[in-house]
Amino acid sequence: MSIANIKTEILSAMEAACKTVFGQRPQNLNLNYPPKVEFGDFAVGCFPLAKQFRQNPANIAQSIAAEIQPNESIQNVTAVGPYVNFKLHSSLLFGDVCTEIRKKKAFDNNNLGNGRRVMVEYLSPNTNKPLHLGHIRNGVLGMGVSNLLEAAGHTVIKANLVNDRGVHICKSMLAWSKWANGDTPESTDTKGDHFVGEWYVRYNQEAKKSPQLQEEVQAMLRKWESGDPATIKLWEMMNQWVYSGYEETYRRLGFAFDVFYYESNTYTLGKDLVQIGLHKGVFNEAASGAVIAPLPTDEFGAEKDGSQKVVTLLRNDGTSVYITQDLGTAKLKFDDHQPDRSIYVVATEQNYHFQCLFKLLNMLDFEWADGCYHLSYGMVNLPEGKMKSREGTVVDADDLIEEMRQLAEDEIRRRDTENTLSHEEIQKRALAIGLAAIKFYLLRTRPELDINFDPKESISFDGFTGPYCQYAYARCASILRKSKNRGLASIEPDYSLLGNTEELELLRVLIQFPDVVAEAAGEFTLARICNHVFAIAQAVNQFYHRHPVLAAEPATLVAARLALVSASAVVIRNSLALLGIEALEEM
RNA sequence: GCGCCCGUAGCUCAGUUGGAUAGAGCAACUGACUUCUAAUCAGUAGGUCGCGGGUUCGAAUCCUGCCGGGCGUGCCA
């Protein structure tokens, strides 16, 4: 029997008991998990029934529990306070869970999304500087949400909207053409994005001394917009340097995209939508000549003087602004890929922008506007305050990865006392562990919270971390490897021999996995996955510590514990995969 | 001023569609490696859930008023 069937059976038993006792079907029953293994495997709270039948929930629980008879699945039913707790025959539950997980390589979760299409836009960097820690937070969130939705049966289209034009880009271009003397990433042996970033910093240094540089930058932007061949050529060359650098960083971090949009192609979009809005009468022309959209007071409040809030869509010279372009891009995305949902992974400082954007799409009567969602995440702060790329107070993505990789490598070498590991193996593990530490650290808290990142204290490998979860997996893998040489494959597991506290705890967290994935996918909360995979890893480590697997007696118990270990390994590996973290066979 | 977000142990955070004794990790202290990997495990200690009211059989969770912090707040992106 599958876990889903077991749950259905419990709810049916509840229903039948309600009919017998109260003569009515129960409403709104939810299957939950008791807080402690001693209470049982599943629980149903009787609070909705208390309302429905106007009785004390504890009394209801009592009479229902007395009504449900044990059978081949249910071992016993007890009322504890307002809860009806179900204890199942452990041989059945362990057997079903282990078999189901191993057969399907995890639980079956892919019916939730029903094939709905979701576009996830994330990262969207500016091509004038390298990626920093804030981008990593964005990227792991974007990849994580994509993985999660895919695992839940959605078709996901991952998009990167590259901000490849504008004054900021011209700044590095101007600095390079003035002072670089033809240096290139190759000639200086510098990663392309870092190379360009250095010229961006140089510009900002020089601009402090020579304010007239600002005018030169504006002039360069005008030349770019008029299509001046030399300017375009310079722009293409420097962007190419940045892209080659980015690609390396993406590869290391496991960021992938199905589609790239470039702002140089999209920045003129949206003007036609402004015309539609004017025609509909939802936008209008201000006295200054700019085109504006009034925002409904009930949702946006009013200005200080009590007047209605507005957003500008076209400047009084007729040129478009950021939100105009985003209107156009939103429609372009829909026309290109027909997503049912369009998720924007963008920092929290743009909350108001997206609130406006989605409202404007709604005012334009796009029926897909309701599917737009801003997945907003907080800033990453340093001990000295906000990260500012102009002032160089950023944690560079490549530097951080290298630093964490190095710390992991030190740790690996410290425990490899016999020098048995190859250089390649050490490098592979060190990178995987370092990345696990970073990604888990960034995903384990709710996205809307700001993160204070202290480079000195760095990110830990102990406790509630990615490496801890990897370690639990490696222990499982190690046991499974060793079991292969011992001719255990033919032995039939006796699941009735399982049932100690640690085994029950492990079973408990494994059973909950599909529900956790479903909830996490519904709310886009990777932190739930972090919490849960950590709970499983904890249960594995506790079990590992107290109960031998390979040395257990009799062999049928060995087989049963092996099945449990194998199932745990599958769920940990799958959970880590959702987080973009590699499960290592050895650590 | 207004809008959104946040405030839980010394620190970082879970828990928020109201429900079982508010949970982890780090740091501190004590203990466990001849044993399937000690990146581990067991234990001790640590809480007016920012403050005050309210709703409820029941509030960290909902409502309300304060206090503190963050991010925004029409022709930047």
Side-chain angles (χ1 to χ4, degrees):
Chain A
M1 202 186 331
S2 75
I3 303 306
N5 289 343
I6 290 174
K7 291 182 185 172
T8 310
E9 187 180 324
I10 290 171
L11 285 173
S12 315
M14 283 293 295
E15 264 196 53
C18 275
K19 272 194 210 160
T20 311
V21 179
F22 301 104
Q24 271 186 58
R25 293 170 58 92
Q27 293 160 4
N28 307 319
L29 278 189
N30 277 318
L31 195 61
N32 290 307
Y33 304 95
K36 293 250 196 286
V37 285
E38 302 90 82
F39 289 141
D41 302 306
F42 298 96
V44 179
C46 294
F47 306 106
L49 303 180
K51 287 218 168 64
Q52 188 180 354
F53 301 123
R54 306 193 175 200
Q55 281 194 33
N56 184 320
N59 291 345
I60 295 177
Q62 283 288 348
S63 35
I64 288 181
E67 186 60 33
I68 301 175
Q69 297 309 313
N71 59 25
E72 61 279 0
S73 312
I74 300 169
Q75 188 182 327
N76 63 58
V77 183
T78 49
V80 179
Y83 291 91
V84 180
N85 290 330
F86 291 81
K87 171 97 185 110
L88 276 72
H89 291 291
S90 60
S91 55
L92 175 96
L93 201 50
F94 277 108
D96 288 353
V97 167
C98 294
T99 309
E100 187 177 352
I101 292 175
R102 292 196 297 163
K103 190 173 65 196
K104 290 183 182 150
K105 305 291 178 202
F107 287 107
D108 208 350
N109 251 314
N110 45 22
N111 50 351
L112 293 166
N114 221 351
R116 275 197 304 268
R117 297 169 67 77
V118 183
M119 177 166 259
V120 178
E121 179 200 304
Y122 75 98
L123 208 64
S124 302
N126 294 332
T127 60
N128 63 337
K129 53 181 184 285
L131 304 176
H132 57 65
L133 182 50
H135 292 109
I136 303 187
R137 187 177 196 191
N138 183 307
V140 294
L141 270 170
M143 271 310 287
V145 164
S146 301
N147 294 335
L148 192 53
L149 292 174
E150 231 159 56
H154 298 76
T155 300
V156 177
I157 306 124
K158 297 186 281 283
N160 190 346
L161 175 57
V162 183
N163 295 299
D164 61 343
R165 65 162 289 281
V167 264
H168 49 294
I169 311 292
C170 290
K171 287 175 181 176
S172 39
M173 285 161 61
L174 185 73
W176 183 85
S177 53
K178 272 179 162 331
W179 303 299
N181 294 320
D183 278 355
T184 66
E186 293 75 28
S187 74
T188 56
D189 196 24
T190 310
K191 192 162 168 282
D193 50 340
H194 289 258
F195 180 83
V196 173
E198 283 168 19
W199 291 109
Y200 180 66
V201 170
R202 174 70 180 271
Y203 169 86
N204 286 298
Q205 288 165 350
E206 299 285 346
K208 275 185 188 164
K209 293 178 274 177
S210 322
Q212 82 280 2
L213 283 174
Q214 276 190 33
E215 286 161 34
E216 291 189 53
V217 166
Q218 289 299 337
M220 185 173 248
L221 182 61
R222 282 193 294 273
K223 280 169 92 174
W224 182 89
E225 287 192 0
S226 68
D228 172 64
T231 309
I232 297 291
K233 200 177 163 202
L234 172 64
W235 171 74
E236 282 173 347
M237 180 178 73
M238 290 186 73
N239 271 347
Q240 211 47 56
W241 290 341
V242 172
Y243 296 146
S244 66
Y246 281 177
E247 270 166 34
E248 199 180 318
T249 308
Y250 294 171
R251 203 165 42 243
R252 290 189 111 190
L253 285 164
F255 296 168
F257 301 95
D258 304 301
V259 53
F260 286 84
Y261 286 110
Y262 296 92
E263 208 177 281
S264 52
N265 293 326
T266 62
Y267 82 107
T268 53
L269 293 178
K271 287 191 176 185
D272 51 339
L273 298 183
V274 174
Q275 294 311 313
I276 292 173
L278 282 168
H279 189 72
K280 277 179 180 290
V282 292
F283 303 162
N284 53 60
E285 199 165 313
S288 67
V291 175
I292 58 168
L295 297 166
T297 312
D298 54 340
E299 289 173 56
F300 289 82
E303 293 290 354
K304 290 169 226 177
D305 59 8
S307 65
Q308 194 170 15
K309 285 201 167 201
V310 298
V311 52
T312 298
L313 299 168
L314 294 179
R315 296 186 186 95
N316 53 19
D317 65 1
T319 56
S320 60
V321 293
Y322 176 47
I323 202 160
T324 325
Q325 168 188 325
D326 259 8
L327 283 170
T329 313
K331 183 163 186 307
L332 180 65
K333 284 171 162 183
F334 182 79
D335 291 344
D336 284 354
H337 298 281
Q338 296 83 44
D340 298 292
R341 298 218 67 179
S342 192
I343 297 174
Y344 295 77
V345 184
V346 181
T348 180
E349 48 198 353
Q350 294 200 35
N351 282 359
Y352 183 69
H353 170 78
F354 282 104
Q355 196 193 344
C356 291
L357 176 67
F358 298 159
K359 187 65 205 175
L360 295 176
L361 291 170
N362 183 267
M363 286 161 70
L364 288 167
D365 286 332
F366 290 122
E367 69 282 0
W368 43 265
D370 292 339
C372 293
Y373 179 80
H374 177 205
L375 177 51
S376 152
Y377 63 92
M379 344 229 0
V380 183
N381 294 319
L382 302 177
E384 54 271 29
K386 275 177 81 162
M387 291 202 294
K388 286 186 182 134
S389 39
R390 242 177 312 183
E391 295 168 22
T393 56
V394 291
V395 177
D396 179 80
D398 297 311
D399 291 351
L400 177 65
I401 295 166
E402 172 52 23
E403 195 181 320
M404 294 307 294
R405 191 206 59 74
Q406 185 60 52
L407 285 173
E409 180 178 335
D410 295 346
E411 188 68 22
I412 292 165
R413 290 195 188 279
R414 197 175 60 75
R415 55 191 61 223
D416 181 30
T417 47
E418 318 264 307
N419 278 320
T420 53
L421 295 173
S422 72
H423 177 74
E424 290 70 31
E425 182 61 23
I426 290 175
Q427 297 309 309
K428 175 185 167 286
R429 289 187 200 179
L431 183 59
I433 294 167
L435 286 174
I438 296 170
K439 291 181 178 181
F440 200 94
Y441 176 81
L442 293 173
L443 289 173
R444 71 184 195 184
T445 58
R446 304 204 304 289
E448 65 268 25
L449 296 182
D450 288 353
I451 288 179
N452 294 309
F453 180 77
D454 189 337
K456 291 185 199 95
E457 292 185 9
S458 198
I459 303 170
S460 170
F461 293 156
D462 302 324
F464 186 28
T465 66
Y468 176 97
C469 299
Q470 287 178 310
Y471 186 63
Y473 177 82
R475 282 179 148 180
C476 292
S478 173
I479 293 174
L480 295 170
R481 248 189 336 269
K482 290 188 172 152
S483 75
K484 293 226 170 79
N485 315 319
R486 304 198 184 186
L488 295 161
S490 57
I491 295 170
E492 193 62 27
D494 182 353
Y495 291 108
S496 70
L497 297 175
L498 300 176
N500 63 50
T501 309
E502 288 75 21
E503 288 160 349
L504 286 172
E505 182 58 36
L506 196 43
L507 176 72
R508 212 170 87 80
V509 288
L510 291 177
I511 289 177
Q512 293 175 14
F513 180 68
D515 290 339
V516 171
V517 172
E519 279 176 37
E523 301 163 3
F524 314 127
T525 53
L526 279 304
R528 286 190 101 92
I529 304 292
C530 290
N531 285 325
H532 199 69
V533 66
F534 178 63
I536 295 170
Q538 265 185 320
V540 163
N541 280 329
Q542 284 160 14
F543 165 73
Y544 179 97
H545 190 254
R546 295 190 64 153
H547 307 287
V549 175
L550 298 173
E553 295 280 352
T556 49
L557 174 60
V558 175
R561 284 187 174 161
L562 276 173
L564 187 59
V565 165
S566 163
S568 306
V570 168
V571 176
I572 293 176
R573 192 180 57 221
N574 288 350
S575 307
L576 289 177
L578 294 178
L579 304 174
I581 293 173
E582 189 184 347
L584 293 169
E585 299 300 312
E586 293 180 73
M587 274 176 78

